[in-house]
Amino acid sequence: GIYAYSQGDELKKKTEFVVGMNKGGTSFLRTFALGSDKLTSRRKAKAFDTRLSALAGLGSLVAVGSSEGDIAVFSLPNLSRVMMVRSAHMIFVTDLAFSNDGKQVVSVSADAGARITTVTKDSKVMYILVSFILAFILLIMIIMNQKIIVTGSIP
């Protein structure tokens, strides 16, 4: 599949494309910028360890479905993965579409199933964020404890 999107401010807006490609048993997303007479490759990201079977975009998001029924959402233009749903369907995804606000993606499959998935950050990203916040709180507590020991009073 292919999805065209705009990049840049209103005065310097450029059309770019994201293309889903299969190579062997692995699938990739690749972005291209449209120049005056050619496409220039920008970024590449692995989508699945299986073949890509569907692609849809809305604004700065692109959703992809796999031959194994997985769904993933990536942000553009950097192709960072926003979320992944393994085994969203029993067999390959045939089509995808975003809601108007981009908060949900609908996927359909050859198993005659349809699924509405809320677009959220990966739990891995959330784990890293929560871990960072907890480490920061612990650091503050250690600093406060050191001030109590040194000064003998609570500041």
Side-chain angles (χ1 to χ4, degrees), residues 21-82:
M21 300 179 290
N22 293 312
K23 185 174 182 180
T26 305
S27 55
F28 298 91
L29 295 175
R30 181 167 282 196
T31 59
F32 294 91
L34 180 60
S36 58
D37 61 347
K38 65 179 180 170
L39 286 174
T40 304
S41 178
R42 296 282 217 205
R43 290 184 172 84
K44 180 179 177 182
K46 183 177 174 181
F48 301 109
D49 289 326
T50 58
R51 298 179 66 79
L52 187 125
S53 60
L55 183 145
L58 178 72
S60 63
L61 295 174
V62 64
V64 290
S66 80
S67 61
E68 299 297 315
D70 303 328
I71 300 168
V73 176
F74 292 82
S75 66
L76 298 171
N78 58 0
L79 291 178
S80 61
R81 189 174 75 198
V82 175

Side-chain angles (χ1 to χ4, degrees), residues 5 12 17 21 50 55 61 64 74 88 93 112 114 130 135 137 142:
Y5 63 100
K12 297 180 182 178
F17 300 91
M21 300 179 290
T50 58
L55 183 145
L61 295 174
V64 290
F74 292 82
V93 177
V130 169
I137 291 170
I142 290 171

Side-chain angles (χ1 to χ4, degrees), residues 131-142:
S131 297
F132 176 76
I133 291 169
L134 290 174
F136 182 73
I137 291 170
L138 182 61
L139 179 64
I140 296 296
M141 290 172 64
I142 290 171

